[in-house]
Amino acid sequence: MTSTTAETVAAPAPASRAGISPWLTFVVRRGGQFIVSLWVLITAAFLMIHLVPGDPVRAALGMNAPAELVEARRAALGLDQPLIVQYVNYFANLFTGNLGVSTITNEPVAHIIATRFPATLQLALLACLLVLLVALPLGVTMAVVTRGGRRRGLELTFAVICVVFAAIPEFLLGVGLVYIFAVNLDWFPIAGNDSPLALVLPVVALAVGPIAVFARIIRVEVLSVLSQDFVRTARAKRLAPRKIYIRHAVPNAMTATLTLSGLLLSGMVAGTVLVENIFAWPGLGTMIVQSIQSKDYPVVQAVVLVYGIGVLLVNLVIDIVLALLDPRSTIRES
């Protein structure tokens, strides 16, 4: 990207040789990738219950359960049918919102997901918001104050702090936060979600690593943009520094940042499993661990699907945002 974002977005994407709109090609191509990825995810989730060693029904009812009861339970769950029939039924049920029933509680899995999902979504959205509010201004500020090799000590300190915090695993950081701020200082609850203060430690545990990574990426990208010719031209026109940074540098630096953000946000989604279990947060993360321990595979399947679809949607949204910010390079690739 060598011009301003406003100019880039306004620039029309050229039509293909066949006269097909590049935007239509991009949407069809990206939509096809999403559908194929979703099919692979659903198939993998279905096969999970058949590839895991052991009988989930026997595991749920106990090893001493009568054989008649086990067979009746298997028939009720449809596990006595041929694999291909189960596969077709699984797909058909998904389209109607039927995720099966728990082999432990006999409760509809869709209801279990509906009661747990809001807590996980709340945690993930607040963590993403914290990352955005801290990493963006921090990265831009560090790029401005260390531009041209100035303040080498500050640059080195910033790099070391970012590397250290990015390397700390979420579960280790969570345990440390609990020990310091909940056990010793008694500032926040140790676990649960009984008060707004209970959100603070899990959100911080989720966000610290991505903040460190994003801040470094944004700083490097902003420094790269500030060395471009159009920024020199803007300075030559005596534009205010704040206008140069906000209107020209930041939007142009977001392309590479957003490209990498898909991986980071996907990792954050997976990180909720660990963080929720540390803080006994009543979300999908604690549910999947409890279901794995009790071999409640229908619930495990559904939670894996929810997490997988969440990651796919995050990447889809980022691709669309990238296409809006830089249509000439993103759409032409399709």
Side-chain angles (χ1 to χ4, degrees):
M1 187 182 291
T2 58
S3 62
T4 66
T5 299
E7 292 168 342
T8 303
V9 172
S16 66
R17 292 180 180 178
I20 301 174
S21 167
W23 268 103
L24 179 61
T25 305
F26 169 76
V27 171
V28 170
R29 174 176 171 270
R30 194 61 187 84
Q33 290 176 348
F34 178 81
I35 292 173
V36 171
S37 301
L38 187 61
W39 171 74
V40 172
L41 174 66
I42 294 174
T43 303
F46 167 78
L47 293 176
M48 177 193 309
I49 197 170
H50 299 279
L51 296 178
V52 174
D55 185 349
V57 177
R58 174 67 72 179
L61 297 178
M63 298 307 295
N64 298 322
E68 296 79 9
L69 179 60
V70 174
E71 291 304 319
R73 186 67 175 153
R74 287 177 61 81
L77 295 174
L79 297 177
D80 59 336
Q81 298 177 358
L83 187 62
I84 186 64
V85 175
Q86 295 183 46
Y87 184 62
V88 173
N89 290 338
Y90 184 69
F91 256 91
N93 290 332
L94 284 181
F95 282 105
T96 61
N98 181 8
L99 299 175
V101 296
S102 166
T103 57
I104 302 299
T105 64
N106 209 28
E107 187 180 1
V109 175
H111 177 70
I112 297 175
I113 298 294
T115 57
R116 294 281 191 146
F117 180 69
T120 297
L121 183 63
Q122 181 186 33
L123 204 61
L125 289 180
L126 287 175
C128 288
L129 182 62
L130 182 61
V131 172
L132 184 65
L133 292 178
V134 176
L136 182 59
L138 179 61
V140 173
T141 301
M142 289 304 301
V144 172
V145 299
T146 61
R147 181 168 57 87
R150 296 177 295 178
R151 298 180 178 88
R152 297 290 297 176
L154 178 62
E155 178 186 350
L156 181 61
T157 304
F158 172 74
V160 170
I161 292 175
C162 286
V163 169
V164 169
F165 278 106
I168 300 176
E170 289 95 344
F171 72 92
L172 191 58
L173 182 60
V175 172
L177 291 174
V178 168
Y179 180 75
I180 297 173
F181 296 103
V183 176
N184 288 316
L185 299 178
D186 197 23
W187 288 356
F188 302 101
I190 294 176
N193 66 337
D194 297 330
S195 70
L197 285 178
L199 276 164
V200 176
L201 295 184
V203 168
V204 171
L206 267 178
V208 165
I211 286 174
V213 176
F214 268 112
R216 289 199 70 188
I217 293 173
I218 291 171
R219 175 184 172 272
V220 172
E221 291 301 322
V222 170
L223 283 176
S224 174
V225 172
L226 291 178
S227 64
Q228 299 291 321
D229 290 338
F230 71 93
V231 174
R232 297 193 188 97
T233 303
R235 287 201 179 96
K237 292 180 179 178
R238 298 184 180 279
L239 293 180
R242 186 175 60 180
K243 185 176 293 185
I244 294 175
Y245 296 137
I246 296 177
R247 182 177 294 180
H248 299 278
V250 173
N252 284 278
M254 292 307 294
T255 302
T257 304
L258 283 173
T259 303
L260 295 173
S261 65
L263 296 174
L264 286 174
L265 292 177
S266 300
M268 184 183 293
V269 170
T272 58
V273 177
L274 298 173
V275 171
E276 285 187 10
N277 279 276
I278 292 172
F279 293 95
W281 190 257
L284 294 178
T286 52
M287 170 57 65
I288 193 172
V289 172
Q290 294 167 0
S291 301
I292 291 174
Q293 292 172 342
S294 61
K295 301 185 186 305
D296 195 350
Y297 294 128
V299 176
V300 176
Q301 280 180 319
V303 177
V304 168
L305 272 181
V306 171
Y307 273 102
I309 291 173
V311 172
L312 292 178
L313 286 176
V314 165
N315 285 287
L316 179 64
V317 170
I318 287 175
D319 283 352
I320 292 174
V321 173
L322 279 174
L324 292 172
L325 288 176
D326 191 4
R328 289 182 299 181
S329 62
T330 306
I331 296 180
R332 274 176 178 171
E333 289 178 358
S334 65

